[in-house]
Amino acid sequence: MSPVRICSRTACKASAVFTLTYVYRDSTAVLGPLATYAEPHCYDLCAEHSERLTAPMGWELVRLPVETESEPSADDLEALADAVREAARPAPDGRTEPVGQGTEVGRRGHLRVLRSEPAATKPAQE
């Protein structure tokens, strides 16, 4: 299987760069950036066919903006690296979040929201 997807139009062998989907309830055709993976009810289109695309009569065609930068910039990578370093750094006061201790304050399906108990303070010795 080829990692490059080709245009869905018959006899077109150009590389796909856009994905076309339909929202039947709203009578809308949506043309956006190429989807991460091929879906059965979507159409991948090359640049030429996407430019000539028209919606059926009575339908609206929505063209989503396409980002021209396909690779992360150096700023994005540096911000990600800084966030990872910050998360790995120990807390400034030496305390760490207790693991496995907390009070359940909410639940949604199989997920639980836990709130940590405040650290118990030791009474001052005189």
Side-chain angles (χ1 to χ4, degrees), residues 20-90:
L20 173 67
T21 58
Y22 292 101
V23 181
Y24 292 97
R25 174 188 283 172
D26 299 331
S27 300
T28 304
V30 181
L31 183 68
L34 188 64
T36 307
Y37 53 90
E39 299 223 11
H41 301 289
C42 295
Y43 302 92
D44 296 334
L45 298 176
C46 64
E48 181 182 347
H49 284 118
S50 66
E51 288 174 11
R52 299 188 313 186
L53 179 70
T54 59
M57 188 168 293
W59 283 54
E60 180 182 1
L61 176 61
V62 176
R63 293 179 186 265
L64 299 177
V66 178
E67 294 180 13
T68 56
E69 187 178 328
S70 60
E71 294 184 14
S73 69
D75 291 340
D76 293 339
L77 295 175
E78 288 177 19
L80 179 60
D82 290 342
V84 169
R85 281 189 214 106
E86 183 66 30
R89 192 173 297 145

